[in-house]
Amino acid sequence: MSADASQGEFALDPPIAKKVPKERVHHGDVFVDEYEWLREKENAEVVAYLEAENAYTDQETRQLQPLRDAIFGEIKSRTQETDLSVPTRMGDFWYYSRSFAGKQYGVHCRCPISGPDDWTPPQLTASVAVPNEQVLLDSNVLAEGHEFFALGAFSISHDGTLLAYSFDIVGDERYTLRFLDLTTGELLPDEVSGAAPGATWSLDRAHVFYMTVDDAWRPDTVWRHKLGTEKASDVKVFHEPDERFWVGIGSTRSEKYLMIWVGSKITTEGWVLESADPEGEFTVIMPRREGVEYSVEHAVVGGRDRFLILHNDVVDGVKAENFVLVEAPVDDVANTTILISHRDDVRLEEVDAFEGHLVLSYRREALTRLAIWPLTADGYGERRELEFPLELYSVGLSSNPEWVQPTLRIGLTSFITPTQVFDYTLATGELVLLKEQPVLGEFDRNDYEQHRDWATAADGTKIPISLVARKGIVGSGVAPLLLGGYGSYEASQDPGFSVARLSLLDRGMVIAIAHVRGGGEMGRLWYENGKKLTKRNTFTDFVDCAQHLVDSGATTPDRMVATGGSAGGLLMGAITNLAPELFAGVLANVPFVDPLTSILDPSLPLTVIEWDEWGNPLADKEVYDYMKSYSPYENVEAKDYPAILAITSINDTRVLYVEPAKWVAKLRATKTGDSPLLLKTEMTAGHGGVSGRYARWKEAAFEYAWILTTSGAAK
């Protein structure tokens, strides 16, 4: 400790982790890891070190408390705390959720429809009692006495009489599955522990299918549970021994088929069973072939059962990277007919089938799109793409559980548009706004603007950047700027509204997203050119976007903060090594900053399935050398880094807490300069961080106060 004369008390010095050299030897390369001992989660010395880092972070951010309180108050004051979702019809009921002021979690409810032709959702008001309302599940009750709570499954039986739900009270993503009789309110004695999230009913309401995970947290087995029996009598219906593949189960919207899906990062395989025969045997739809991905939806076209198959196999001698859509008879899936051919500029993502139409979801020009495709007596009608008068937006199907319905529920949002829920009337094409996310106070979307900019990478590739700010800020001179990125797994960072983000925008901050390679915004090849042995493109793209924002006069390095989480945290670690001079600060959430150590250990959660994303450094020296060249932990150097705030969770099973802990320990022992370096570990949470909306708001306020102060935007 050192004396803090200004406060008249002793101040904590930055924690210094001890060094315990441990050799890691692969392909003739010897790496001495001095902080691997921090992996010993049950070691009291490890826990003490994490708690010391937390105490130091608390001390160093104590002066931000008034700003944190202000931001929390702003988020709270803008949020309609007592609210209802738009009801969705399923069977004989309208289903919706409620939130209540002062309560952390949601409440699931339903009320009866007025008749079979009632397709207009009731206009519910939070302050007015709903006639014949039934509370199905109150997560606040389930969460009582627990520091962490997450709801997993919430699945209603087809006849609406039973509810299967699961919950996690630790944060390790292993759930307890329970069953509720909705006609009597009775909690059934059946209990399944250690399940993965999710539950799927058979048509007979007597059987439920669920999954369990292996020691690496990989969903690998599908089980069938018969209500009224013990877990010990559950039947294993499918097991996947290959550690590269995850397993999932669901049903088609038509409810005719149950589907088991087996997927690695690059290969999929589907198995099917008629839901009316739950004790039957699943059969494979198309046997897996390395590098071929596909999805299947059931449709009735011209009175005949068809499987609609999206796949990226070779067509006419060319790999359909962005996928094609074909149809085939359900009993002859090899007999396919192409419905939509491959396009270099359109990434087909999903097809949803209803009784009288299909809905296509796809990407073009880095934006999501929807098209309605009517089904006629003879086959397929004319497709119609939905259009919206926004430069940037995200659109997609909302909850549409019914096979037969005259409307289509759609969700729309943008950086400046609170989430909107529409019903699209299929017969007329009318789009009716049912609800817009309420934003209380003086919010006016016309005070803000969003734009698309483009940076040029070193190899000439144009990288899209999304920008949002209060009007008049972008282009008027240098401004504080928060630049976010992800760039892995073909995941896209699409435009979306955030109430909390207003606290940054209203303080004059520009929010930017670098849509770097490795993501999916620009199609499958955008992803392929940012993974495995092209992964460095992800990092250099981000640096090029940051440099573009500086060169264009939007900001300066001393006013720019970078942020990313999980694989985006790997991005943060990499860019701090590549171009520390470009950023005033870096916020890394649950960061994957020690990737080589993790990917070299097949016993760790998720490692084997990750080899399709990063390569296998155990078997391939080229992959090993390449990963070592960019791994943030291995490449920490004695140089001046920007201010860094790393946030992790001790129960995270996806990116273990030890990665940021080792990274921060090595940075503190190696870096030069006096930029602050902070590590915050949530001691009761998992990969998603803290649970409960008020806890999440407090966490957002903590992060935003640090961002604003680091960028010089704090007011």
Side-chain angles (χ1 to χ4, degrees):
M1 292 187 181
S2 59
D4 186 343
S6 65
Q7 296 186 21
E9 60 184 35
F10 283 97
L12 297 172
D13 293 326
I16 303 297
K18 70 178 183 180
K19 296 181 180 181
V20 182
K22 179 180 179 180
E23 286 192 352
R24 186 189 73 200
V25 182
H26 290 281
H27 305 291
D29 176 68
V30 179
F31 175 70
V32 179
D33 192 339
E34 298 174 319
Y35 301 103
E36 178 63 12
W37 69 274
L38 288 169
R39 190 175 300 277
E40 301 167 18
K41 182 178 175 181
E42 306 304 322
N43 185 335
E45 192 173 359
V46 172
V47 174
Y49 170 72
L50 296 176
E51 290 177 339
E53 287 283 5
N54 281 347
Y56 180 69
T57 297
D58 287 343
Q59 169 187 280
E60 296 301 295
T61 59
R62 189 174 300 148
Q63 76 280 8
L64 303 182
Q65 190 62 53
L67 181 55
R68 289 160 56 182
D69 291 342
I71 294 172
F72 176 83
E74 290 163 9
I75 298 171
K76 191 171 185 291
S77 68
R78 292 186 178 116
T79 303
Q80 189 162 302
E81 298 180 70
T82 300
D83 201 5
L84 303 96
S85 66
V86 177
T88 297
R89 179 172 164 176
M90 186 168 65
D92 295 331
F93 294 91
W94 291 104
Y95 290 84
Y96 53 96
S97 61
R98 285 182 174 273
S99 61
F100 293 93
K103 292 189 176 183
Q104 294 270 27
Y105 304 99
V107 179
H108 294 272
C109 308
R110 72 180 182 184
C111 63
I113 62 174
S114 62
D117 296 326
D118 178 16
W119 287 98
T120 302
Q123 299 292 316
L124 305 182
T125 304
S127 59
V128 178
V130 178
N132 301 311
E133 180 179 75
Q134 181 183 7
V135 175
L136 305 179
L137 195 70
D138 187 341
S139 292
N140 298 285
V141 175
L142 294 175
E144 284 181 2
H146 304 291
E147 292 186 55
F148 179 90
F149 174 82
L151 186 65
F154 183 88
S155 180
I156 305 289
S157 63
H158 300 291
D159 65 357
T161 63
L162 295 166
L163 168 65
Y165 69 94
S166 65
F167 54 89
D168 169 18
I169 54 174
V170 177
D172 63 359
E173 300 183 56
R174 299 200 181 198
Y175 293 76
T176 299
L177 180 62
R178 298 300 308 269
F179 303 90
L180 188 65
D181 187 329
L182 299 180
T183 61
T184 65
E186 176 190 5
L187 183 64
L188 303 184
D190 307 54
E191 181 174 320
V192 177
S193 59
T200 301
W201 291 94
S202 62
L203 277 175
D204 66 3
R205 70 184 283 279
H207 299 86
V208 169
F209 294 82
Y210 67 92
M211 297 173 296
T212 54
V213 300
D214 64 11
D215 291 339
W217 263 259
R218 174 183 67 100
D220 69 334
T221 305
V222 177
W223 300 83
R224 184 179 67 240
H225 175 78
K226 186 174 183 179
L227 286 188
T229 65
E230 297 291 329
K231 178 187 177 184
S233 63
D234 289 356
V235 177
K236 182 190 295 185
V237 298
F238 188 90
H239 174 71
E240 176 53 55
D242 192 329
E243 294 178 282
R244 297 176 302 156
F245 288 83
W246 278 33
V247 176
I249 184 166
S251 60
T252 59
R253 180 176 281 100
S254 65
E255 300 181 355
K256 186 170 183 177
Y257 297 102
L258 298 167
M259 295 276 192
I260 291 176
W261 286 103
V262 188
S264 72
K265 301 292 183 184
I266 61 173
T267 305
T268 53
E269 181 179 73
W271 294 68
V272 64
L273 173 67
E274 290 207 25
S275 188
D277 181 27
E279 296 185 0
E281 296 292 326
F282 283 83
T283 58
V284 68
I285 301 171
M286 296 191 309
R288 73 186 71 172
R289 289 170 45 227
E290 190 75 8
V292 175
E293 301 166 69
Y294 70 92
S295 61
V296 175
E297 176 67 298
H298 168 239
V300 178
V301 184
R304 297 168 296 177
D305 285 316
R306 288 285 187 268
F307 280 150
L308 305 178
I309 305 169
L310 274 173
H311 73 77
N312 67 341
D313 203 355
V314 174
V315 179
D316 296 330
V318 179
K319 174 79 166 172
E321 296 284 359
N322 277 340
F323 288 73
V324 297
L325 177 65
V326 303
E327 70 161 8
V330 296
D331 56 356
D332 186 11
V333 294
N335 183 18
T336 62
T337 301
I338 293 180
L339 299 177
I340 300 179
S341 299
H342 178 266
R343 285 177 55 177
D344 291 336
D345 62 337
V346 175
R347 167 66 161 96
L348 294 176
E349 292 194 326
E350 194 169 0
V351 57
D352 288 273
F354 298 81
E355 182 195 42
H357 64 282
L358 308 177
V359 180
L360 294 170
S361 301
Y362 50 97
R363 290 181 178 276
R364 189 180 69 248
E365 298 170 332
L367 291 177
T368 54
R369 316 278 178 166
L370 281 182
I372 313 300
W373 199 356
L375 297 175
T376 67
D378 299 323
Y380 302 91
E382 183 178 350
R383 294 198 301 268
R384 175 177 180 264
E385 181 176 290
L386 301 187
E387 297 180 353
F388 303 93
L390 294 166
E391 180 181 354
L392 304 176
Y393 63 87
S394 301
V395 65
L397 285 184
S398 186
S399 179
N400 291 276
E402 294 291 78
W403 172 250
V404 182
Q405 57 185 59
T407 58
L408 190 68
R409 186 66 55 82
I410 292 171
L412 176 77
T413 187
S414 79
F415 292 115
I416 62 176
T417 308
T419 301
Q420 297 175 328
V421 179
F422 294 90
D423 264 358
Y424 174 84
T425 303
L426 292 158
T428 64
E430 182 183 12
L431 201 60
V432 178
L433 178 63
L434 301 177
K435 182 171 183 172
E436 180 174 284
Q437 174 189 0
V439 183
L440 306 183
E442 299 180 355
F443 169 75
D444 183 345
R445 77 196 66 201
N446 295 314
D447 292 337
Y448 307 86
E449 56 187 349
Q450 56 179 5
H451 298 292
R452 172 63 51 77
D453 196 1
W454 298 84
T456 302
D459 63 2
T461 302
K462 297 294 186 181
I463 313 297
I465 305 173
S466 295
L467 295 162
V468 58
R470 287 191 69 92
K471 280 186 176 177
I473 290 180
V474 177
S476 64
V478 171
L481 187 144
L482 178 65
L483 179 62
Y486 189 76
S488 293
Y489 307 112
E490 203 181 1
S492 300
Q493 291 193 294
D494 294 318
F497 186 79
S498 166
V499 166
R501 195 168 54 217
L502 295 175
S503 291
L504 298 179
L505 297 174
D506 288 350
R507 287 175 171 83
M509 193 157 217
V510 178
I511 310 292
I513 296 176
H515 302 286
V516 295
R517 282 174 283 186
E521 289 91 341
M522 299 284 284
R524 172 52 64 92
L525 288 177
W526 197 251
Y527 167 53
E528 295 289 346
N529 287 318
K531 64 182 289 194
K532 288 190 173 180
L533 296 177
T534 60
K535 188 62 199 172
R536 290 182 68 90
N537 285 337
T538 302
F539 316 135
T540 56
D541 283 357
F542 192 92
V543 171
D544 290 336
C545 287
Q547 188 64 58
H548 170 81
L549 292 167
V550 171
D551 293 344
S552 66
T555 191
T556 53
D558 64 336
R559 307 211 71 188
M560 180 160 47
V561 173
T563 183
S566 196
L570 165 62
L571 172 60
M572 294 300 101
I575 60 104
T576 58
N577 288 331
L578 287 174
E581 72 283 354
L582 270 179
F583 307 97
V586 171
L587 169 61
N589 263 299
V590 290
F592 186 42
V593 284
D594 188 19
L596 187 51
T597 303
S598 295
I599 300 302
L600 282 166
D601 187 351
S603 70
L604 291 177
L606 310 184
T607 288
V608 174
I609 65 169
E610 294 288 316
W611 286 342
D612 285 334
E613 178 77 17
W614 313 99
N616 182 353
L618 272 174
D620 191 327
K621 183 179 186 300
E622 183 181 15
V623 171
Y624 177 90
D625 292 341
Y626 189 76
M627 290 191 70
K628 189 177 180 184
S629 76
Y630 68 69
S631 171
Y633 181 60
E634 272 91 338
N635 290 283
V636 168
E637 296 178 323
K639 58 186 176 184
D640 192 4
Y641 282 84
I644 294 174
L645 170 60
I647 297 176
T648 187
S649 299
I650 198 165
N651 291 326
D652 193 340
T653 59
R654 299 179 186 238
V655 178
L656 302 185
Y657 75 90
V658 68
E659 296 205 22
K662 288 171 59 176
W663 182 52
V664 167
K666 189 171 183 178
L667 279 166
R668 185 164 284 132
T670 308
K671 79 181 190 72
T672 62
D674 56 1
S675 295
L677 174 61
L678 304 175
L679 172 67
K680 180 183 179 186
T681 304
E682 297 293 344
M683 303 303 284
T684 59
H687 190 66
V690 295
S691 67
R693 59 175 174 171
Y694 295 105
R696 288 195 299 271
W697 294 350
K698 287 182 179 179
E699 182 60 26
F702 174 84
E703 295 177 12
Y704 285 4
W706 184 87
I707 290 168
L708 289 164
T709 302
T710 303
S711 67
K715 295 180 181 179

